[in-house]
Amino acid sequence: MVVRDPVAVRLPISESWRRSRDAGVDAGVQAAPLVYERDVLADARDVHPLQPHLPMLESLLRRVADETEHLMVITDADGHVLWTQGPPAARRAADAIGLTEGFRWAEDAVGTNGIGTAIAAGRPEYVYAAEHVAHVLHRWSCAGAPIIDPDSARVVGCIDVSATVAALHPATVALVAAAARLAESRLENEMLVRDERLRERLLPHLRGLGGGGLLVTATGRVLAAGAAGLRGLRLAVPEPGGTVALPDGRVAVAEPLGEAFLLRSADRVGARVVPDPGAEAAPAARPAAGDGPLLALSLLGDGQPHALLDGRRFELTLRHAEILALLALHPRGLSGDRLSLCLYGDDGSPATVRPEIHRLRQQFGDIVRARPYRLGCAVEADFITVRRLLDDGDAGGAVRLYGGELLPRSDAPAIRAERDELAVRVRRQVLDRGGAETLWAYAQTEPGRADLEALERLRAMLPAGDPRRAAVASRSDRLLSGEL
């Protein structure tokens, strides 16, 4: 049986019926589909941003659920039920239609309902009895409110109260909306703590621009700005080295600083420099203002390693990338003997290192210091930021920045050791703490594409209707058959 055409009903319901019809939902569906088995469900709960706030939400909604035979439901952004709470009678009735942990309540799965419709609309919604598309839900009424992540401005979950009644008390919608706002305020407090840490570490670089730049999160939020009136705005998410249009009409270049970007006005950025490995490059000019230059290193993945020195791009030879990585890892410096050992093992000597340091000084100026060899400037390196995120337990943030292994073509002993340790730590945290989005991001990296355990776990977590599931299943099957 197909979904009926909209009739004279409330506008949010008619819009939901239309979406359900376009998704091909059958009004005769008997229950929501199961998407998470028990072990996968536990992983999804552990990594969800609402998990730390579950006691608060449960305490807020427990009384209404227990005293009125209502069921409280909390889902993720895709309508997958992660937690439920309510009296036995309500739970038994809910089990019959799949309104319980591990089942999917998106509109395209069961049609109009308090969870899927609230998520699709991005606002609190209530659905009474026959307003549901599925006939089996006509004895139910529900009210849901989406929870919006203040950092990304995307839905991260939904709070719902459901019952086998013709209509809910009008206060129920206000209750779930208040619970959602409280959850958002908790998420915002966590975000503000992260923001303050970023400002503390990165504001000196912004001050060095003399009022012409912005500090922007990886989600596009302006954390700090030299010009008044820009802080708090949301911009298009920058691409490293790409340009961003600012509200005042200027164009800015995005310089990666780990978890954030420094946006510099395009007219303040020097021309891109691609040095000829056989030629001597002119020294980079030192900035005249601020707290000193900033060197940003991009050394992860199979692409060409490069550096940005106060917005000016330098392509790096493999040896220069290795040296800069080692100096970034040892801010107090390395002796010639130690640097030689890190680069060449027992076969090296300080005499081999000195010409490379000389070439680096020609390229980058006197930020490359001697006795001991060190970097005389602030340094932000992608692989060091990944390490810091792993230390903080932020598997999602780490894997988003982890474009691949550290200098994968390098044979330098110290680089190999750092590369292997970082790869093992990223993989372990992705498997231990990563949800579907984190696992998917990891599967796009070179190590993740061939990681059968990660692919099989992702395959189990993605619902049948997710277009990514087929791609993951295909790659996993090919790995199992030895084709890859």
Side-chain angles (χ1 to χ4, degrees):
M1 185 180 296
V2 297
V3 178
R4 56 193 180 277
D5 288 329
V7 293
V9 296
R10 295 186 293 118
L11 181 59
I13 298 302
S14 65
E15 290 175 342
S16 177
W17 284 359
R18 189 176 302 110
R19 290 193 297 267
S20 301
R21 181 187 59 199
D22 292 344
V25 176
D26 189 338
V29 63
Q30 293 298 301
L34 176 67
V35 291
Y36 287 159
E37 297 293 348
R38 186 171 298 275
D39 56 340
V40 179
L41 174 66
D43 291 339
R45 285 170 164 173
D46 288 343
V47 301
H48 197 272
L50 292 179
Q51 197 276 339
H53 310 293
L54 185 62
M56 176 272 296
L57 293 172
E58 287 181 335
S59 65
L60 181 64
L61 298 173
R62 179 182 293 117
R63 180 169 297 178
V64 67
D66 290 345
E67 294 182 359
T68 60
E69 296 295 318
H70 289 30
L71 186 75
M72 179 202 76
V73 181
I74 300 177
T75 78
D76 65 12
D78 297 313
H80 303 146
V81 178
L82 300 182
W83 297 279
T84 63
Q85 182 173 309
R91 295 180 70 89
R92 285 192 298 270
D95 288 345
I97 59 171
L99 188 55
T100 189
E101 292 91 343
F103 289 76
R104 183 167 182 260
W105 280 80
E107 274 189 340
D108 61 5
V110 290
T112 303
N113 70 92
I115 296 168
T117 301
I119 291 174
R123 60 180 181 266
E125 294 288 359
Y126 59 92
V127 180
Y128 292 160
E131 290 180 331
H132 289 91
V133 163
H135 293 161
V136 73
L137 301 180
H138 284 187
R139 61 190 291 256
W140 286 83
S141 293
C142 45
I147 299 171
I148 311 296
D149 175 24
D151 183 19
S152 65
R154 296 177 180 173
V155 173
V156 294
C158 181
I159 298 177
D160 171 85
V161 170
S162 295
T164 54
V165 293
L168 296 171
H169 191 283
T172 308
V173 180
L175 177 65
V176 295
R181 300 296 84 76
L182 184 56
E184 290 171 356
S185 70
R186 293 287 190 94
L187 295 175
E188 184 176 16
N189 287 339
E190 294 175 343
M191 179 190 74
L192 293 175
V193 170
R194 295 193 303 268
D195 287 354
E196 194 55 38
R197 289 174 182 167
L198 283 175
R199 288 193 195 95
E200 184 178 348
R201 197 175 83 247
L202 301 177
L203 269 180
H205 307 317
L206 180 63
R207 288 194 293 268
L209 298 184
L214 296 86
L215 186 61
V216 178
T217 68
T219 54
R221 291 185 300 106
V222 178
L223 284 180
L230 293 179
R231 180 170 168 177
L233 295 179
R234 188 179 293 275
L235 307 176
V237 176
E239 289 289 335
T243 59
V244 177
L246 301 182
D248 58 8
R250 289 180 297 150
V251 174
V253 177
E255 183 174 338
L257 297 177
E259 307 107 294
F261 290 90
L262 189 64
L263 300 190
R264 301 171 180 268
S265 294
D267 56 5
R268 290 173 175 249
V269 178
R272 175 172 169 169
V273 178
V274 183
D276 181 349
E280 293 189 352
R286 291 289 301 274
D291 297 318
L294 169 65
L295 183 67
L297 302 174
S298 296
L299 308 179
L300 292 174
D302 290 328
Q304 174 70 38
H306 65 272
L308 290 172
L309 180 60
D310 278 337
R312 186 180 179 190
R313 179 171 173 134
F314 295 83
E315 305 291 350
L316 299 172
T317 66
L318 178 58
R319 183 62 72 204
H320 286 178
E322 292 167 340
I323 293 173
L324 291 174
L326 292 169
L327 296 183
L329 279 170
H330 299 88
R332 294 187 178 181
L334 294 169
S335 67
D337 287 331
R338 180 79 185 280
L339 182 55
S340 172
L341 184 67
C342 290
L343 287 171
Y344 305 104
D346 294 332
D347 296 331
S349 71
T352 312
V353 169
R354 280 194 290 270
E356 298 294 349
I357 294 292
H358 176 68
R359 295 187 186 99
L360 271 176
R361 287 178 62 84
Q362 289 181 313
Q363 189 173 14
F364 290 101
D366 62 357
I367 66 168
V368 182
R369 308 281 175 82
R371 298 178 184 168
Y373 294 127
R374 65 196 188 279
L375 294 173
C377 66
V379 180
E380 289 287 336
D382 51 5
F383 72 100
I384 292 178
T385 302
V386 169
R387 284 176 48 161
R388 183 165 56 244
L389 291 169
L390 292 171
D391 290 341
D392 293 340
D394 186 357
V399 78
R400 282 193 295 272
L401 209 60
Y402 186 70
E405 294 184 329
L406 171 64
L407 297 176
R409 295 186 296 277
S410 173
D411 288 327
I415 297 295
R416 287 203 313 266
E418 175 66 20
R419 178 171 64 224
D420 292 346
E421 179 184 346
L422 193 62
V424 168
R425 290 188 64 194
V426 168
R427 181 179 188 272
R428 189 70 268 152
Q429 284 208 23
V430 166
L431 292 176
D432 289 347
R433 305 181 184 182
E437 295 304 319
T438 297
L439 281 163
W440 173 255
Y442 178 66
Q444 309 316 302
T445 68
E446 190 62 32
R449 280 192 284 270
D451 192 321
L452 183 59
E453 183 179 358
L455 291 171
E456 285 293 287
R457 184 167 300 188
L458 178 59
R459 184 179 188 172
M461 295 185 79
L462 291 173
D466 193 310
R468 297 173 296 181
R469 195 172 191 271
V472 172
S474 174
R475 177 163 287 276
S476 181
D477 291 342
R478 292 169 68 190
L479 285 170
L480 283 169
S481 66
E483 295 180 27
L484 292 178

Coordinates of all heavy atoms in Angstrom, one line a residue, residues 346-419:
D346 N 73.0 4.6 11.8 CA 74.4 4.6 12.1 C 75.3 4.9 10.9 O 76.5 5.2 11.1 CB 74.8 3.2 12.6 CG 74.1 2.8 13.9 OD1 73.8 3.7 14.7 OD2 73.8 1.6 14.1
D347 N 74.7 5.0 9.7 CA 75.6 5.3 8.5 C 75.7 6.8 8.3 O 76.5 7.2 7.4 CB 74.9 4.7 7.3 CG 74.9 3.2 7.4 OD1 75.7 2.6 8.0 OD2 74.0 2.6 6.8
G348 N 75.0 7.6 9.1 CA 75.1 9.0 8.8 C 76.2 9.7 9.6 O 76.9 9.1 10.4
S349 N 76.4 11.0 9.3 CA 77.3 11.8 10.0 C 76.9 13.3 10.0 O 76.1 13.7 9.1 CB 78.7 11.7 9.4 OG 78.7 12.4 8.1
P350 N 77.3 14.1 10.9 CA 76.9 15.5 10.9 C 77.3 16.2 9.6 O 76.7 17.2 9.2 CB 77.7 16.1 12.1 CG 77.9 14.9 13.0 CD 78.1 13.8 12.1
A351 N 78.4 15.8 9.0 CA 78.8 16.4 7.8 C 77.7 16.2 6.7 O 77.6 17.1 5.8 CB 80.1 15.8 7.3
T352 N 77.0 15.1 6.7 CA 75.9 14.9 5.8 C 74.7 15.8 6.0 O 74.0 16.2 5.1 CB 75.5 13.4 5.8 OG1 76.6 12.6 5.8 CG2 74.6 13.1 4.7
V353 N 74.5 16.2 7.3 CA 73.4 17.0 7.6 C 73.6 18.5 7.3 O 72.7 19.2 6.9 CB 73.1 16.9 9.1 CG1 72.1 17.9 9.6 CG2 72.6 15.5 9.5
R354 N 74.8 18.9 7.4 CA 75.1 20.4 7.3 C 74.7 21.0 6.0 O 74.1 22.1 5.9 CB 76.6 20.7 7.6 CG 76.9 20.7 9.1 CD 78.3 21.3 9.3 NE 79.3 20.4 8.9 CZ 79.9 19.5 9.6 NH1 79.5 19.3 10.9 NH2 80.9 18.7 9.2
P355 N 74.9 20.3 4.8 CA 74.5 20.9 3.6 C 72.9 21.0 3.5 O 72.4 22.0 2.9 CB 75.0 19.9 2.5 CG 76.1 19.2 3.2 CD 75.7 19.1 4.6
E356 N 72.2 20.1 4.0 CA 70.8 20.1 4.0 C 70.2 21.3 4.9 O 69.3 22.0 4.5 CB 70.1 18.8 4.5 CG 70.5 17.6 3.6 CD 69.9 17.7 2.2 OE1 69.0 18.6 2.0 OE2 70.3 16.9 1.4
I357 N 70.8 21.5 6.0 CA 70.5 22.6 6.9 C 70.7 23.9 6.1 O 69.9 24.9 6.2 CB 71.2 22.6 8.2 CG1 70.8 21.3 9.0 CG2 71.0 23.9 9.0 CD1 69.3 21.4 9.5
H358 N 71.9 24.0 5.4 CA 72.2 25.2 4.7 C 71.1 25.5 3.7 O 70.7 26.7 3.5 CB 73.6 25.0 4.0 CG 74.0 26.2 3.2 ND1 74.3 27.4 3.7 CD2 74.1 26.3 1.8 CE1 74.6 28.2 2.7 NE2 74.5 27.6 1.5
R359 N 70.7 24.5 2.9 CA 69.7 24.7 1.9 C 68.3 25.1 2.6 O 67.6 26.0 2.0 CB 69.5 23.4 1.1 CG 70.7 23.0 0.3 CD 70.4 21.8 -0.6 NE 71.6 21.4 -1.3 CZ 72.4 20.4 -0.9 NH1 72.0 19.6 0.1 NH2 73.4 20.0 -1.6
L360 N 68.0 24.6 3.7 CA 66.8 25.0 4.4 C 66.9 26.4 4.8 O 65.9 27.2 4.7 CB 66.6 24.1 5.6 CG 65.8 22.8 5.4 CD1 65.7 22.0 6.7 CD2 64.3 23.1 5.0
R361 N 68.0 26.9 5.3 CA 68.2 28.3 5.7 C 68.1 29.2 4.5 O 67.5 30.3 4.6 CB 69.5 28.5 6.4 CG 69.6 27.9 7.8 CD 71.0 28.1 8.4 NE 71.3 29.5 8.6 CZ 70.9 30.2 9.6 NH1 70.2 29.7 10.6 NH2 71.3 31.5 9.7
Q362 N 68.5 28.8 3.3 CA 68.4 29.6 2.1 C 66.9 29.7 1.8 O 66.5 30.7 1.3 CB 69.1 28.9 1.0 CG 70.7 29.1 1.1 CD 71.4 28.5 -0.1 OE1 71.0 27.4 -0.5 NE2 72.3 29.2 -0.7
Q363 N 66.1 28.7 2.0 CA 64.7 28.7 1.7 C 63.9 29.4 2.7 O 63.0 30.2 2.3 CB 64.2 27.2 1.5 CG 62.8 27.1 1.0 CD 62.5 25.6 0.7 OE1 63.1 24.7 1.2 NE2 61.4 25.4 0.0
F364 N 64.1 29.2 4.0 CA 63.3 29.7 5.0 C 63.9 30.8 5.9 O 63.3 31.3 6.8 CB 62.8 28.6 6.0 CG 61.9 27.6 5.3 CD1 62.4 26.4 4.9 CD2 60.6 27.9 5.2 CE1 61.5 25.5 4.3 CE2 59.7 27.0 4.6 CZ 60.2 25.8 4.1
G365 N 65.1 31.2 5.6 CA 65.7 32.3 6.4 C 66.2 31.8 7.7 O 66.4 30.6 7.9
D366 N 66.4 32.7 8.6 CA 67.1 32.3 9.9 C 66.1 31.8 10.9 O 66.4 31.7 12.1 CB 67.8 33.5 10.5 CG 66.9 34.7 10.8 OD1 65.7 34.6 10.5 OD2 67.4 35.7 11.3
I367 N 64.9 31.3 10.5 CA 64.1 30.6 11.5 C 64.7 29.2 11.7 O 64.4 28.5 12.7 CB 62.6 30.4 11.0 CG1 62.5 29.5 9.7 CG2 62.0 31.7 10.8 CD1 61.1 29.1 9.4
V368 N 65.6 28.7 10.8 CA 66.3 27.5 11.0 C 67.6 27.8 11.7 O 68.5 28.4 11.2 CB 66.6 26.8 9.7 CG1 67.3 25.4 9.9 CG2 65.3 26.6 8.9
R369 N 67.6 27.4 13.0 CA 68.8 27.8 13.9 C 69.8 26.7 14.0 O 69.4 25.5 13.7 CB 68.2 28.2 15.3 CG 67.1 29.3 15.2 CD 67.7 30.7 15.0 NE 66.6 31.6 14.9 CZ 66.0 32.2 15.9 NH1 66.3 31.8 17.2 NH2 65.0 33.1 15.7
A370 N 71.0 27.0 14.5 CA 72.0 26.0 14.7 C 72.5 26.0 16.1 O 72.2 27.0 16.9 CB 73.2 26.3 13.7
R371 N 73.2 25.0 16.5 CA 73.8 24.8 17.8 C 72.9 25.0 19.0 O 73.0 26.0 19.8 CB 75.0 25.8 18.0 CG 76.1 25.5 16.9 CD 77.2 26.6 17.1 NE 78.2 26.4 16.0 CZ 79.1 27.3 15.8 NH1 79.2 28.4 16.4 NH2 80.0 27.0 14.8
P372 N 71.9 24.1 19.2 CA 71.6 22.9 18.3 C 70.7 23.3 17.2 O 70.1 24.4 17.2 CB 70.9 22.0 19.3 CG 70.2 23.0 20.3 CD 71.1 24.1 20.4
Y373 N 70.5 22.4 16.3 CA 69.6 22.6 15.2 C 68.2 22.7 15.7 O 67.7 21.7 16.4 CB 69.7 21.5 14.1 CG 71.0 21.5 13.4 CD1 71.8 20.3 13.4 CD2 71.5 22.6 12.8 CE1 73.0 20.3 12.7 CE2 72.7 22.6 12.1 CZ 73.5 21.4 12.1 OH 74.7 21.4 11.5
R374 N 67.4 23.7 15.4 CA 66.1 23.9 15.9 C 65.3 24.9 15.1 O 66.0 25.6 14.2 CB 66.1 24.4 17.4 CG 66.7 25.8 17.5 CD 67.1 26.0 19.0 NE 67.5 27.4 19.2 CZ 68.7 27.9 18.9 NH1 69.7 27.1 18.4 NH2 69.0 29.2 19.1
L375 N 64.0 25.1 15.3 CA 63.2 26.1 14.6 C 63.0 27.2 15.5 O 62.4 27.1 16.6 CB 61.9 25.4 14.2 CG 62.0 24.3 13.1 CD1 60.7 23.6 12.9 CD2 62.6 24.9 11.8
G376 N 63.3 28.4 15.1 CA 63.2 29.6 15.9 C 61.9 30.3 15.6 O 61.9 31.5 15.3
C377 N 60.8 29.6 15.6 CA 59.5 30.2 15.3 C 58.4 29.3 15.8 O 58.7 28.1 16.2 CB 59.3 30.4 13.8 SG 59.2 28.8 12.9
A378 N 57.2 29.8 15.9 CA 56.0 28.9 16.2 C 55.8 27.9 15.1 O 55.9 28.2 13.9 CB 54.8 29.8 16.5
V379 N 55.5 26.7 15.5 CA 55.3 25.6 14.5 C 53.9 24.9 14.8 O 53.6 24.6 15.9 CB 56.4 24.5 14.6 CG1 56.2 23.4 13.6 CG2 57.7 25.2 14.4
E380 N 53.2 24.7 13.7 CA 52.0 23.9 13.8 C 52.1 22.8 12.7 O 52.3 23.1 11.5 CB 50.7 24.7 13.5 CG 50.3 25.6 14.6 CD 49.7 24.9 15.8 OE1 49.2 23.8 15.7 OE2 49.8 25.5 16.9
A381 N 52.1 21.5 13.1 CA 52.3 20.4 12.2 C 51.1 19.5 12.3 O 50.6 19.2 13.4 CB 53.6 19.7 12.5
D382 N 50.6 19.1 11.1 CA 49.4 18.2 11.1 C 49.6 17.0 11.9 O 48.7 16.6 12.7 CB 48.9 17.9 9.7 CG 50.0 17.3 8.8 OD1 51.2 17.1 9.3 OD2 49.8 17.1 7.6
F383 N 50.7 16.3 11.9 CA 50.9 15.1 12.6 C 51.0 15.3 14.1 O 50.5 14.4 14.9 CB 52.1 14.3 12.0 CG 53.4 14.8 12.4 CD1 54.2 14.3 13.4 CD2 54.0 15.9 11.7 CE1 55.4 14.8 13.8 CE2 55.2 16.4 12.0 CZ 55.9 15.9 13.0
I384 N 51.5 16.4 14.5 CA 51.6 16.7 15.9 C 50.2 17.1 16.5 O 49.9 16.7 17.6 CB 52.6 17.9 16.2 CG1 54.0 17.4 15.9 CG2 52.5 18.4 17.6 CD1 55.1 18.4 16.0
T385 N 49.4 17.7 15.7 CA 48.0 18.0 16.1 C 47.3 16.7 16.3 O 46.5 16.6 17.2 CB 47.3 18.9 15.1 OG1 48.1 20.2 15.0 CG2 45.9 19.3 15.6
V386 N 47.5 15.8 15.3 CA 46.8 14.5 15.5 C 47.2 13.8 16.8 O 46.4 13.2 17.5 CB 47.1 13.6 14.3 CG1 46.7 12.1 14.5 CG2 46.5 14.1 13.0
R387 N 48.5 13.9 17.1 CA 49.0 13.3 18.4 C 48.2 14.0 19.6 O 47.8 13.3 20.5 CB 50.5 13.5 18.5 CG 51.3 12.6 17.7 CD 52.8 12.9 17.8 NE 53.3 13.1 19.2 CZ 54.5 13.0 19.6 NH1 55.5 12.7 18.7 NH2 54.9 13.2 20.8
R388 N 48.1 15.3 19.5 CA 47.5 16.0 20.6 C 46.0 15.6 20.7 O 45.5 15.4 21.9 CB 47.6 17.5 20.4 CG 47.0 18.4 21.5 CD 47.5 19.8 21.4 NE 47.2 20.4 20.1 CZ 48.1 20.9 19.2 NH1 49.4 20.8 19.5 NH2 47.7 21.4 18.1
L389 N 45.3 15.5 19.6 CA 43.9 15.0 19.7 C 43.8 13.6 20.2 O 42.8 13.3 20.9 CB 43.3 15.2 18.3 CG 43.1 16.6 17.7 CD1 42.8 16.5 16.2 CD2 42.1 17.3 18.5
L390 N 44.7 12.7 19.8 CA 44.7 11.4 20.4 C 44.9 11.4 21.9 O 44.3 10.6 22.6 CB 45.7 10.5 19.7 CG 45.5 10.2 18.2 CD1 46.7 9.5 17.6 CD2 44.2 9.3 18.0
D391 N 45.8 12.3 22.3 CA 46.0 12.4 23.8 C 44.8 12.8 24.5 O 44.5 12.4 25.7 CB 47.2 13.4 24.1 CG 48.5 12.9 23.6 OD1 48.7 11.7 23.5 OD2 49.4 13.7 23.5
D392 N 44.0 13.7 23.8 CA 42.7 14.1 24.4 C 41.6 13.2 24.3 O 40.5 13.4 24.7 CB 42.3 15.5 23.8 CG 43.3 16.6 24.2 OD1 44.0 16.4 25.2 OD2 43.3 17.6 23.5
G393 N 41.8 12.1 23.6 CA 40.8 11.1 23.4 C 39.8 11.5 22.3 O 38.7 10.9 22.2
D394 N 40.1 12.4 21.4 CA 39.2 12.9 20.4 C 39.5 12.1 19.1 O 40.2 12.6 18.2 CB 39.4 14.4 20.2 CG 38.4 15.0 19.2 OD1 37.6 14.2 18.6 OD2 38.5 16.2 18.9
A395 N 39.0 10.9 19.0 CA 39.3 10.0 17.9 C 38.7 10.6 16.6 O 39.3 10.6 15.5 CB 38.7 8.6 18.1
G396 N 37.5 11.2 16.7 CA 36.9 11.8 15.5 C 37.7 13.0 14.9 O 38.0 13.1 13.7
G397 N 38.2 13.9 15.8 CA 39.0 15.0 15.4 C 40.3 14.5 14.8 O 40.8 15.1 13.8
A398 N 40.9 13.5 15.4 CA 42.2 13.0 15.0 C 42.1 12.4 13.6 O 42.9 12.7 12.7 CB 42.7 12.0 15.9
V399 N 41.1 11.6 13.3 CA 41.0 10.9 12.0 C 40.6 11.9 10.9 O 41.0 11.7 9.8 CB 40.0 9.7 12.1 CG1 38.6 10.2 12.1 CG2 40.3 8.7 11.0
R400 N 39.8 13.0 11.3 CA 39.5 14.0 10.3 C 40.8 14.7 9.8 O 40.9 15.1 8.6 CB 38.5 15.0 10.8 CG 37.1 14.5 10.9 CD 36.1 15.7 11.2 NE 36.4 16.2 12.5 CZ 35.8 15.8 13.6 NH1 34.9 14.8 13.5 NH2 36.0 16.4 14.7
L401 N 41.8 14.8 10.6 CA 43.0 15.5 10.3 C 44.0 14.5 9.7 O 45.0 14.9 9.0 CB 43.6 16.2 11.5 CG 44.4 17.4 11.3 CD1 43.6 18.5 10.6 CD2 45.0 17.9 12.6
Y402 N 43.8 13.2 9.9 CA 44.8 12.2 9.5 C 44.5 11.8 8.1 O 43.8 10.8 7.8 CB 44.6 11.0 10.5 CG 45.7 9.9 10.3 CD1 47.0 10.1 10.6 CD2 45.3 8.6 9.8 CE1 47.9 9.1 10.4 CE2 46.2 7.6 9.6 CZ 47.5 7.8 9.9 OH 48.5 6.8 9.8
G403 N 45.1 12.5 7.2 CA 44.9 12.2 5.8 C 45.7 11.0 5.3 O 45.5 10.6 4.1
G404 N 46.5 10.4 6.1 CA 47.4 9.3 5.7 C 48.6 9.2 6.6 O 48.7 10.0 7.6
E405 N 49.5 8.3 6.3 CA 50.7 8.1 7.2 C 51.6 9.3 7.0 O 51.6 10.0 6.0 CB 51.3 6.8 6.8 CG 50.5 5.6 7.1 CD 51.3 4.3 6.8 OE1 52.1 4.3 5.9 OE2 51.0 3.3 7.5
L406 N 52.5 9.5 8.0 CA 53.5 10.5 8.0 C 54.6 10.2 7.0 O 55.2 9.2 7.1 CB 54.1 10.7 9.5 CG 55.3 11.6 9.6 CD1 54.9 13.0 9.3 CD2 55.9 11.5 11.0
L407 N 54.7 11.1 6.1 CA 55.8 10.9 5.0 C 56.0 9.5 4.6 O 57.0 8.9 4.9 CB 57.1 11.5 5.6 CG 57.1 13.0 5.9 CD1 58.4 13.5 6.5 CD2 56.8 13.8 4.6
P408 N 55.0 8.9 4.0 CA 55.0 7.4 3.7 C 56.2 7.0 2.9 O 56.6 5.8 2.9 CB 53.7 7.2 3.0 CG 53.3 8.5 2.5 CD 53.8 9.5 3.5
R409 N 56.9 7.8 2.1 CA 58.0 7.4 1.3 C 59.4 7.5 2.1 O 60.4 7.2 1.5 CB 58.1 8.3 0.1 CG 56.9 8.0 -0.9 CD 57.1 8.8 -2.2 NE 57.1 10.2 -2.0 CZ 56.0 11.0 -1.9 NH1 54.8 10.4 -1.9 NH2 56.1 12.2 -1.8
S410 N 59.3 8.0 3.3 CA 60.5 8.2 4.1 C 61.1 6.9 4.7 O 60.3 6.1 5.2 CB 60.3 9.2 5.2 OG 61.4 9.3 6.1
D411 N 62.4 6.7 4.6 CA 63.1 5.6 5.2 C 63.9 6.1 6.4 O 64.6 5.3 7.0 CB 64.0 4.9 4.2 CG 63.3 4.1 3.1 OD1 62.2 3.6 3.5 OD2 63.7 4.1 2.0
A412 N 63.8 7.3 6.8 CA 64.6 7.8 8.0 C 64.1 7.0 9.2 O 62.9 6.9 9.5 CB 64.4 9.3 8.1
P413 N 65.0 6.5 10.0 CA 64.6 5.7 11.1 C 63.7 6.4 12.1 O 62.7 5.8 12.5 CB 66.0 5.3 11.8 CG 67.0 5.5 10.7 CD 66.5 6.6 9.8
A414 N 63.9 7.6 12.5 CA 63.1 8.3 13.4 C 61.7 8.6 12.8 O 60.7 8.6 13.5 CB 63.7 9.6 13.9
I415 N 61.7 8.9 11.5 CA 60.4 9.1 10.9 C 59.6 7.9 10.8 O 58.3 7.9 11.0 CB 60.6 9.7 9.5 CG1 61.3 11.1 9.6 CG2 59.2 9.8 8.7 CD1 60.4 12.2 10.3
R416 N 60.2 6.7 10.5 CA 59.5 5.5 10.4 C 58.9 5.1 11.8 O 57.8 4.7 11.9 CB 60.5 4.3 10.0 CG 60.9 4.3 8.5 CD 61.3 2.9 8.1 NE 62.2 2.3 9.0 CZ 63.6 2.4 8.9 NH1 64.1 3.1 7.9 NH2 64.3 1.8 9.8
A417 N 59.7 5.4 12.9 CA 59.2 5.1 14.2 C 58.0 5.9 14.5 O 57.0 5.4 15.1 CB 60.3 5.2 15.2
E418 N 58.0 7.2 14.2 CA 56.9 8.1 14.5 C 55.7 7.8 13.6 O 54.6 7.8 14.1 CB 57.4 9.6 14.3 CG 56.2 10.6 14.4 CD 55.7 10.7 15.8 OE1 56.5 10.3 16.8 OE2 54.6 11.2 16.0
R419 N 56.0 7.4 12.4 CA 54.9 7.1 11.5 C 54.1 5.8 12.0 O 52.9 5.8 12.0 CB 55.5 6.8 10.1 CG 54.4 6.4 9.1 CD 55.1 6.3 7.7 NE 56.1 5.4 7.6 CZ 57.3 5.6 6.9 NH1 57.5 6.7 6.4 NH2 58.2 4.6 6.9

